[in-house]
Amino acid sequence: MGAQQGFLDNQRMGRYVREVFGPSRLEDLTRTPIASLQGEIQMRMKPFRVPVFLLVCSFTIMAWCQSGLAQQRTDDTPAVNPLVRLLQAKGILTEGEVAQISQASSPADADQQLAKLLLTKGVITQADYDHTYGMATVISASTATTPTVGMIPAVYRVPANSGAGIGPTTNAPSLPAAQVASAAPAVIPAITPTRVFTVGGLPREGLKPAFSIGTLRVTPYGFIKATFVNDSSSPGGDDFPLPGFLTDTGPQGSPEFHIKARSSRIGTNFEWLDPSPNLTITGKIEADFEGNFSRADNRNLSSIRSSMPSIRLAYMRLDYKLGKKDTISTVIGQDWTPFSSSTLPNLLETTILGGGYGTLWERDPQIRFGWTHDFGGFKLMPEIAAVLPASGDVPGANNLANQLGYGERQGPDSARPTVEGRIVAQFQLDHAPGVAPAQIIFSGEQGERKAVVLAAAVPTLPGTDPRGANYFKSAFPQGATVSSNTDGWTGEFQLPTRYFTLLGKYYSGSDLRWFFGGQFFSNFNDTFGLSGTSSAASVDGGSTVVFGTNASGAAVVAPQRPVRASGGFINLGLPLSRIFGADPQGRNMGWSLYMHYGVDFAKARDVERFNPGGARHKSPLYAGTLYYKLNNWVTFAFEQSLYETDAVAGTAGALPLFRGIPSRTWRDLRSEGGTIFTF
């Protein structure tokens, strides 16, 4: 057994020179004097840029050590390539890296691990590595063979029907341009869903680094997105669509034109190589320019073009393989929420991404734990997370400065985390080349918010009130609190096939404002059965709290009820180039079309109770988006959409205003088009 293992070591070492001399001469080389080979080795190894002395020493060590290793090695001692020991002795490899190579599952795997280490340390070049191993080991972006491998969860992605390794997808890092050019697709991939999470653990060294710092591997990514926007009605003055009836408009409905570049995005993926081959440690930080506008003196006149960068994602992730079938994962930091954010439509407008129109999504700081079991062709992944509690309440004018300083507080004032979870089933629906796996997802969440009224803010009554001026202050000498719950569930699916990709989501719950649902309504004061009411502002100014007298004559705080909501969307993607048989390497391989319908409801009965003057309660969205990918970097896109909002009349029959007229329907015919430069 020992002699056989020694022979295998010699075979492994021989593979490093087969590409140089050819397999026919390998046997002759082992019997040729080393000195006579130096000239030929130098001439043939120039393209590989590997130091000549390494090969010379490796053959010498092979001749000296074969019999000794065969005698000394036991059955349970892992074999270590003598070349690896030589590299360790010269300080090129560390003891931990040698241990990592020795734990490889096969000689071929050990060779490849060694080559990767030499590549990251600059001993060999990328060309040397590619010449020896080809492109088979490179993880390309948004291909059907690697649909679940990835580290770039982002909302926007360039459609994946444009070839392997092209564009910032939600699943995988983009390949460098030189590698993409050498790996032209043999088939136009089907449309890959806009995924924001990975089922199963991330693979070790699955990230192709742009550069490395020791064992830290770094890959920047992003895109520059510049579009023009024309809205037939944008009463808020925003360059993204919000539900209607938030305010009245002028007589023409407030049409607007914008050119925007602030949806551009930058990010960086990190991977730290741990000595354990079963542990993968990764991280991400991502930002866009959708933040507030600067108020510096030199920007007062030009604030409209001076938006500030803001954080999107920032987390670290640990994946540990328990065996061939099971992986456990931990995510700590700000990531997409497991509730509602698993399935997102492909829309060109990504600032709000259909928020208020049936999409439902959010990013939030969290601590998330997951487990994945591979049944063989079918993966099941449950996850649970403790998430920063939030309700999206707007600060009051009197406390705006403090609120901007530390963010909203009604969620954190609940003194408990929001609990979110999901379970994902992943399988291959269509086995054709270039088709990503399908997913069925169920998710849920439960949380709480609390409004606090300070003792000094408890209302007093007029002196003529028979209950006395300090009636409420006597009942609530230390102030008062009132709370409400948020809860929800979703059913989601992502079904890619060779000819179309169908995405969908349905959701239902209460107080879904934080997730851009329920027409952005959160809660309302239920004053039914109360008399002699008086109100006060909460400490953050985000809520109005109502005090009153109940049927028993006691002073109470009116309960706050969450507004019930439901909705969802259907998004159909058509890989036009694949359907019509375009050349995978031609100029027409990058056409795709998306058709979208979404709708969001706030329960009309709830809206009627707290809006006697009438208010919005339903918003549908109809959209069509056409993409053309010119090459690996540039994509052209155009989206035509219709945003609508329907109103419910108040108790007296009143309706909200649109163009100064009481109306049941508000409409915005929106056109957006432009370019996306991906890197």
Side-chain angles (χ1 to χ4, degrees):
M1 179 65 181
Q4 183 181 8
Q5 183 64 57
F7 176 69
L8 290 175
D9 283 351
N10 293 341
Q11 283 186 323
R12 283 199 285 171
M13 295 178 64
R15 289 179 59 193
Y16 285 100
V17 296
R18 276 194 178 96
E19 292 293 330
V20 181
F21 294 98
S24 61
R25 290 207 56 204
L26 184 59
E27 184 177 353
D28 294 339
L29 290 173
T30 59
R31 294 193 293 267
T32 302
I34 294 296
S36 65
L37 290 176
Q38 288 182 354
E40 185 175 0
I41 290 174
Q42 258 184 333
M43 177 184 68
R44 293 176 180 263
M45 287 299 290
K46 283 183 180 179
F48 292 85
R49 301 180 185 177
V50 179
V52 174
F53 77 90
L54 291 179
L55 288 177
V56 175
C57 293
S58 66
F59 280 111
T60 305
I61 293 173
M62 180 174 65
W64 289 349
C65 300
Q66 180 172 348
S67 59
L69 289 172
Q71 296 173 1
Q72 297 176 9
R73 194 173 290 133
T74 61
D75 292 345
D76 58 353
T77 302
V80 179
N81 192 323
L83 177 59
V84 173
R85 292 300 186 193
L86 176 62
L87 294 174
Q88 181 187 8
K90 292 184 173 296
I92 298 175
L93 297 179
T94 66
E95 183 177 352
E97 291 168 340
V98 172
Q100 174 186 332
I101 294 172
S102 68
Q103 295 173 5
S105 58
S106 67
D109 187 42
D111 290 343
Q112 191 167 342
Q113 287 191 35
L114 174 58
K116 286 182 178 180
L117 288 171
L118 295 178
L119 174 63
T120 59
K121 294 173 182 291
V123 177
I124 64 175
T125 67
Q126 181 67 54
D128 298 334
Y129 182 87
D130 291 344
H131 182 77
T132 305
Y133 288 99
M135 296 298 297
T137 57
V138 178
I139 297 175
S140 64
S142 192
T143 65
T145 56
T146 58
T148 60
V149 177
M151 300 177 61
I152 305 183
V155 176
Y156 178 79
R157 65 172 184 82
V158 175
N161 68 324
S162 50
I166 300 173
T169 71
T170 59
N171 252 18
S174 302
L175 251 63
Q179 296 179 19
V180 174
S182 63
V187 62
I188 298 175
I191 288 177
T192 302
T194 310
R195 303 175 190 273
V196 294
F197 68 101
T198 300
V199 175
L202 297 175
R204 183 180 176 89
E205 299 186 65
L207 174 66
K208 176 63 182 175
F211 60 91
S212 300
I213 307 173
T215 58
L216 175 64
R217 302 155 67 90
V218 184
T219 302
Y221 66 90
F223 58 81
I224 301 170
K225 179 182 175 185
T227 61
F228 70 86
V229 181
N230 186 79
D231 289 282
S232 65
S233 180
S234 181
D238 300 298
D239 58 8
F240 58 92
L242 292 171
F245 297 119
L246 294 177
T247 182
D248 189 13
T249 68
Q252 296 179 335
S254 296
E256 287 201 338
F257 176 81
H258 292 269
I259 296 178
K260 58 186 296 186
R262 63 193 186 98
S263 295
S264 301
R265 191 173 306 163
I266 54 175
T268 303
N269 287 316
F270 304 92
E271 181 179 6
W272 293 267
L273 296 181
D274 188 83
S276 171
N278 296 324
L279 180 61
T280 302
I281 305 175
T282 56
K284 175 189 291 294
I285 186 165
E286 183 179 289
D288 60 22
F289 297 86
E290 303 275 15
N292 296 326
F293 292 100
S294 173
R295 297 189 66 180
D297 288 344
N298 67 327
R299 298 291 177 87
N300 285 347
L301 297 179
S302 59
S303 62
I304 191 172
R305 52 88 171 163
S306 303
S307 57
M308 296 186 292
S310 60
I311 186 172
R312 285 173 52 88
L313 303 170
Y315 63 80
M316 66 158 295
R317 174 174 178 141
L318 303 174
D319 294 287
Y320 189 79
K321 295 184 65 174
L322 297 176
K324 294 183 178 180
K325 299 288 187 180
D326 297 279
T327 303
I328 57 175
S329 304
T330 301
V331 175
I332 303 173
Q334 180 160 304
D335 192 13
W336 296 92
T337 56
F339 169 70
S340 78
S341 298
S342 303
T343 305
L344 299 173
N346 193 302
L347 293 171
L348 181 59
E349 197 298 300
T350 55
T351 298
I352 198 71
L353 194 68
Y357 292 90
T359 299
L360 213 68
W361 58 272
E362 191 55 271
R363 298 182 292 267
D364 211 347
Q366 60 193 269
I367 302 174
R368 188 171 81 235
F369 301 94
W371 163 71
T372 302
H373 182 74
D374 189 347
F375 292 90
F378 178 83
K379 291 182 178 181
L380 192 66
M381 182 184 73
E383 286 188 303
I384 190 168
V387 181
L388 170 69
S391 60
D393 58 281
V394 178
N398 294 333
N399 296 281
L400 179 60
N402 290 339
Q403 189 80 351
L404 292 177
Y406 52 75
E408 76 156 85
R409 59 172 294 176
Q410 291 193 11
D413 277 347
S414 67
R416 49 151 293 188
T418 294
V419 178
E420 299 184 16
R422 68 182 166 199
I423 183 167
V424 185
Q426 178 171 289
F427 56 95
Q428 192 69 42
L429 178 64
D430 188 337
H431 294 273
V435 180
Q439 293 181 338
I440 305 294
I441 307 116
F442 293 94
S443 71
E445 64 93 19
Q446 202 284 325
E448 183 181 337
R449 55 160 288 279
K450 181 184 293 183
V452 178
V453 178
L454 301 180
V458 174
T460 58
L461 297 175
T464 57
D465 194 301
R467 293 172 297 179
N470 294 323
Y471 174 70
F472 291 123
K473 286 188 174 292
S474 299
F476 301 98
Q478 296 177 294
T481 62
V482 61
S483 62
S484 65
N485 292 333
T486 171
D487 58 77
W489 66 273
T490 73
E492 309 167 49
F493 60 85
Q494 303 188 129
L495 306 176
T497 70
R498 69 192 75 182
Y499 297 123
F500 67 88
T501 294
L502 186 64
L503 311 178
K505 176 190 300 184
Y506 173 80
Y507 59 85
S508 181
S510 59
D511 192 356
L512 298 180
R513 173 186 171 91
W514 174 245
F515 301 95
F516 306 105
Q519 294 299 282
F520 298 171
F521 290 126
S522 177
N523 60 83
F524 64 96
N525 291 298
D526 186 359
T527 59
F528 180 77
L530 299 183
S531 61
T533 59
S534 186
S535 62
S538 60
V539 64
D540 61 333
S543 293
T544 297
V545 179
V546 175
F547 296 77
T549 302
N550 63 15
S552 301
V556 296
V557 173
Q560 292 185 342
R561 312 289 188 194
V563 177
R564 291 167 288 181
S566 61
F569 73 85
I570 292 287
N571 188 262
L572 177 65
L574 301 172
L576 299 180
S577 297
R578 179 168 179 145
I579 292 174
F580 291 102
D583 181 359
Q585 301 180 34
R587 282 295 192 185
N588 284 320
M589 55 83 69
W591 291 96
S592 59
L593 175 66
Y594 293 82
M595 292 180 287
H596 177 85
Y597 171 74
V599 64
D600 176 70
F601 293 88
K603 196 170 185 66
R605 184 167 28 176
D606 291 345
V607 176
E608 291 170 342
R609 293 184 64 181
F610 65 90
N611 280 292
R616 63 192 183 277
H617 84 101
K618 172 187 175 183
S619 289
L621 162 62
Y622 312 84
T625 310
L626 181 66
Y627 290 95
Y628 171 62
K629 179 173 276 297
L630 177 67
N631 52 37
N632 296 350
W633 303 275
V634 179
T635 298
F636 298 95
F638 179 78
E639 182 169 279
Q640 185 62 59
S641 54
L642 175 62
Y643 291 82
E644 289 187 359
T645 298
D646 297 329
V648 61
T651 53
L655 288 168
L657 300 179
F658 175 44
R659 296 179 178 174
I661 303 171
S663 305
R664 287 192 176 273
T665 302
W666 165 89
R667 290 185 177 91
D668 173 23
L669 187 63
R670 177 183 174 89
S671 302
E672 182 171 5
T675 59
I676 305 101
F677 180 87
T678 304
F679 59 92

